[in-house]
Amino acid sequence: MKSANERGLKSAMEHPSGRLSTHEAHGAAGSAFAQYVGSDVLLSLQNTRTRAETEPSFLIITQVTELLFKLAHTEAVRARDLLEDDDVPGALRALRRFRSTCVSLNGTIEVLSSMGPTEYAEYRGALGDGSGFQSYMYRHLEFVLGHKVAAMARLHRDDERVHRDLLRALGEISLYDAALRLLWRQGLAVPESMVDRDWSLPYTEQDDIVAAWHVVYTEQDKHAELYLLAEALMDAAFELCRWRTTHLMVVERVLGSKGGTGGTTGASWLRRAAQHRFFPELWTVRTGL
C-alpha cells in the first residue's frame, strides 16, 4: 500500500499542467516536510510592493540573508560556549559550520550583482525608510564576534524587545573573548585584564595578544589545538569580511555613490565597515611570522 507522500507525488506528476497547485506547493495538511519547515508561513512572506521584475529577487535574497545571519549567530554562540567549556574540538566543528554559512552569504549577495541600476530604481522608492543597516540580527552577529558598538543597539530603542535583547548581547562575552580566555587558561601570556573585563566595551588590539598568538603559530606542536582554533577563527573572519566587501561592490555597481535607503550614506558607510577586521591580532600576527 502506497504512503500518503507517495500518492501525493504521483498525483502531482499526473497533473495536466505539470505544475503543483498552490495548496500542494505550500505543503498539504499532514505533510511532515511542510510542517517541519513551516512552508505555509515561509512561502507567504514574499509580499512585494511593486510590479518590478527584480523586486522578488531582492526581497527573497534579503530574507535568506537574514536567516543566514541567524544561523551564523547560532554557530558563533555555540562555538563561544564550547570554548568556555574547554571543548576545542566541538568549537572547531561549530566554526566549520559558521564558515560554510558565510560562504553561503557570499553566494546570495552575488545574486543581487546581476541587477542593473535602472531595475533597482523601479522599486527602490517602495522601500521607504527600510535599510539593511536596520538588521538587528546582523547586530547580534557582530556583537557575538566581538565588534561591540553601543550606538548600534540604540538604533533599535523604539522596539523594546529588540533593544533589550541587543543590550543583553552587548554585555555578553564574545567568541573572541572566549578564545583569549582559553589561551590564558592554557598558560599563554594573556593579560588578566583581558579575561575579566566589561564585555560591552569595544575591543582594542593589544600587543600582548599578538605575542600570545605568535607563540601559538611558532610552537604548533605544543599548541596544536590552539593553532587549529586560530586558523578556524581566521577562516570565519575571512569569509565574513569577503561578504562585507562583496556587499560594498554590489551597492557601488547598483547605486554608485548615491546615498542608501533609510537615510544611510550607502557605499561610503559600507566602505568603512569593509575595513574592519574581526579578531584583529590574528591578522596582525601574520606580519611577524
Side-chain angles (χ1 to χ4, degrees):
M1 184 174 182
K2 293 183 178 180
S3 69
N5 286 342
E6 290 172 327
R7 290 196 300 273
L9 178 60
K10 184 175 187 294
S11 175
M13 292 174 67
E14 292 176 350
H15 195 284
S17 69
R19 297 190 300 269
L20 294 175
S21 69
T22 300
H23 179 63
E24 290 166 330
H26 284 196
S31 166
F33 174 83
Q35 290 178 9
Y36 180 75
V37 176
S39 300
D40 281 336
V41 174
L42 191 63
L43 298 177
S44 69
L45 297 176
Q46 291 71 50
N47 301 310
T48 54
R49 298 179 178 180
T50 72
R51 295 183 179 274
E53 290 184 1
T54 54
E55 189 184 355
S57 293
F58 178 83
L59 177 56
I60 291 173
I61 290 300
T62 301
Q63 291 174 334
V64 169
T65 298
E66 285 292 295
L67 290 173
L68 290 173
F69 286 159
K70 182 175 183 179
L71 179 56
H73 176 263
T74 298
E75 297 298 356
V77 169
R78 191 187 311 277
R80 177 199 66 188
D81 293 346
L82 288 168
L83 288 178
E84 284 288 274
D85 290 338
D86 293 317
D87 185 353
V88 179
L92 290 174
R93 291 192 296 271
L95 286 170
R96 184 174 66 245
R97 295 190 296 269
F98 180 97
R99 176 189 176 277
S100 296
T101 302
C102 291
V103 170
S104 296
L105 275 170
N106 281 297
T108 59
I109 197 69
E110 288 181 2
V111 175
L112 300 182
S113 69
S114 64
M115 190 181 307
T118 55
E119 292 174 318
Y120 181 56
E122 290 178 347
Y123 61 87
R124 187 187 185 204
L127 302 178
D129 292 331
S131 168
F133 187 76
Q134 299 163 349
S135 169
Y136 61 81
M137 195 67 249
Y138 183 69
R139 297 305 161 202
H140 274 288
L141 178 57
E142 283 201 321
F143 286 177
V144 76
L145 295 178
H147 187 38
K148 305 286 186 74
V149 181
M152 296 296 100
R154 288 196 293 272
L155 290 173
H156 300 275
R157 56 185 177 272
D158 291 338
D159 188 324
E160 182 179 351
R161 178 188 61 82
V162 170
H163 187 228
R164 181 183 64 249
D165 288 346
L166 283 171
L167 288 179
R168 173 187 51 77
L170 186 70
E172 290 180 344
I173 185 174
S174 75
L175 170 62
Y176 193 52
D177 291 319
L180 298 183
R181 283 159 61 92
L182 176 68
L183 264 62
W184 178 73
R185 290 194 300 273
Q186 294 203 10
L188 276 296
V190 173
E192 288 196 35
S193 60
M194 300 303 297
V195 299
D196 185 15
R197 62 183 184 87
D198 183 348
W199 307 119
S200 68
L201 296 178
Y203 184 87
T204 56
E205 185 172 337
Q206 305 287 322
D207 290 342
D208 289 339
I209 303 300
V210 176
W213 284 120
H214 189 274
V215 171
V216 170
Y217 274 90
T218 55
E219 299 180 17
Q220 293 178 28
D221 291 341
K222 182 178 179 181
H223 302 290
E225 278 194 338
L226 296 180
Y227 170 74
L228 293 175
L229 173 61
E231 285 298 280
L233 289 170
M234 277 300 296
D235 286 342
F238 178 85
E239 292 298 338
L240 193 53
C241 288
R242 189 160 71 94
W243 176 81
R244 283 178 157 194
T245 301
T246 306
H247 188 190
L248 165 64
M249 294 176 66
V250 170
V251 169
E252 287 182 325
R253 176 172 179 166
V254 176
L255 282 177
S257 59
K258 290 196 292 285
T261 53
T264 60
T265 57
S268 63
W269 182 84
L270 291 173
R271 193 173 295 110
R272 292 193 299 273
Q275 293 174 347
H276 174 263
R277 294 292 178 263
F278 296 98
F279 324 141
E281 291 92 353
L282 284 172
W283 297 85
T284 302
V285 72
R286 281 156 164 71
T287 304
L289 293 174

